Amino acid sequence: MSITITPLNSGMCTSNPKTYHYHPSTHKYYKNVSDEDRALPVFCYLLDTGDECILVDTGMAYSERANQYHHPGSIQLPDQAMPKAVEKAGYHLEDITKIIFTHLHWDHCFYMKEFKNAHYYVQKKEYEFAMNPIPLYYKSYEYEALGIEAPFIGAEFELLEGEAEIVPGVRVYPTPGHSVGHQAVEVDTKDGTYHLVGDAIFLLDNLKEVPQIHYDLTPTARFANIVEWWESVREIKRRCKDVNMILPTHEPDLMERFEKTPVLGL
């Protein structure tokens, strides 16, 4: 089996480097950690196995909703909404037979129900928390108390508990920390095994050591559990020694790379 990966950017979401991307303890070791919001891409990944098509996440909401309930300044162009992005990439919505969610935050699961033929996969811990989050995470999961309905309400999921093979060459493994039930996706291709890590890290900088303070990683400033986050990112690095094979959701440097190589694993 030869699997290809087509990155699809579902829009640009704003967040603050000091309060999201870099833990306060690391700021002085990085140049230009800004206190101004920065627009980051929101990548999803379309896997073509030759037999079926699988999406990893379905991306962010439309601009008005993103701005009103989440991150002001976020923008989704009409052709970036995931159904349109899939069609623009040369596929049909009905081609998508499975959707793997790294987690169920608002910018990873919008438009999911428009893929009528898809089966949904998520970690059980993530689903259970998403259905009844603590108030701090009401916005992240678009909880009903806000007066809106999250995209996953009423959907049936296959609830995973730990590592699982979805199809040959596509596997998931738990990476909690950013969210309680976050998972990463391993994809075997001709290039080797890519790791689609969602928000386990925001930036590739989060993989770097900070030797001055004995850190083997650069932690983010946004997490549900920093201990789990640390161990999860260690596990990603243990499984994948080549940073070029690690694909987060929000790394802006990937935009130029994907422009040059719009399909991985050919």
Side-chain angles (χ1 to χ4, degrees):
M1 178 180 293
S2 178
I3 302 175
T4 61
I5 302 173
T6 301
L8 303 172
N9 185 11
S10 68
M12 301 297 290
C13 177
T14 59
S15 55
N16 186 289
K18 281 194 171 180
T19 59
Y20 263 76
H21 312 155
Y22 299 88
H23 191 270
S25 64
T26 70
H27 290 175
K28 69 179 181 179
Y29 304 105
Y30 281 88
K31 295 179 180 178
N32 304 320
V33 179
S34 175
D35 198 24
E36 296 183 2
D37 285 355
R38 181 184 185 192
L40 302 183
V42 185
F43 286 111
C44 306
Y45 295 95
L46 192 158
L47 317 180
D48 188 338
T49 72
D51 296 322
E52 59 183 313
C53 295
I54 302 169
L55 272 177
V56 177
D57 292 336
T58 56
M60 64 179 276
Y62 52 89
S63 301
E64 182 181 1
R65 188 174 179 121
N67 278 274
Q68 181 175 354
Y69 293 102
H70 303 293
H71 295 253
S74 298
I75 295 174
Q76 182 183 79
L77 301 177
D79 64 354
Q80 291 178 321
M82 198 44 48
K84 294 292 186 183
V86 166
E87 292 175 339
K88 189 176 178 180
Y91 295 88
H92 301 288
L93 302 193
E94 55 268 26
D95 295 338
I96 307 299
T97 55
K98 294 178 173 64
I99 302 175
I100 304 168
F101 294 97
T102 58
H103 60 306
L104 293 175
H105 285 179
W106 73 277
D107 55 330
H108 292 259
C109 63
F110 216 76
Y111 304 107
M112 56 180 284
K113 290 177 183 174
E114 295 196 29
F115 298 93
K116 304 296 186 183
N117 291 341
H119 295 278
Y120 308 132
Y121 298 79
V122 74
Q123 288 287 321
K124 182 180 179 182
K125 286 182 179 179
E126 181 69 11
Y127 177 78
E128 290 176 346
F129 185 78
M131 295 299 290
N132 187 29
I134 62 173
L136 180 66
Y137 282 94
Y138 278 3
K139 285 188 176 182
S140 297
Y141 293 101
E142 296 194 329
Y143 192 59
E144 60 186 13
L146 302 180
I148 54 178
E149 184 174 277
F152 50 80
I153 296 299
E156 293 187 13
F157 288 84
E158 181 162 338
L159 301 179
L160 307 172
E161 296 187 68
E163 296 195 40
E165 181 181 69
I166 306 303
V167 299
V170 180
R171 301 169 297 279
V172 301
Y173 61 97
T175 50
H178 172 72
S179 71
V180 297
H182 196 284
Q183 64 183 352
V185 185
E186 291 180 321
V187 184
D188 297 335
T189 74
K190 289 181 178 178
D191 298 340
T193 299
Y194 285 95
H195 291 247
L196 317 183
V197 301
D199 288 1
I201 58 174
F202 292 136
L203 307 173
L204 293 173
D205 273 355
N206 298 131
L207 298 170
K208 294 178 180 178
E209 298 179 357
V210 189
Q212 301 94 324
I213 47 176
H214 313 289
Y215 287 9
D216 55 335
L217 303 167
T218 297
T220 66
R222 174 77 168 172
F223 44 79
N225 185 311
I226 190 60
V227 176
E228 289 185 342
W229 181 93
W230 210 292
E231 294 302 334
S232 292
V233 180
R234 280 177 170 172
E235 178 65 9
I236 291 168
K237 291 180 71 173
R238 185 191 70 79
R239 289 176 181 244
C240 187
K241 306 301 184 186
D242 184 353
V243 68
N244 291 315
M245 304 300 285
I246 297 175
L247 305 178
T249 293
H250 297 296
E251 172 57 68
D253 287 351
L254 291 177
M255 296 177 70
E256 183 177 354
R257 177 181 172 187
F258 294 157
E259 192 171 323
K260 294 177 180 177
T261 310
V263 181
L264 308 175
L266 284 176

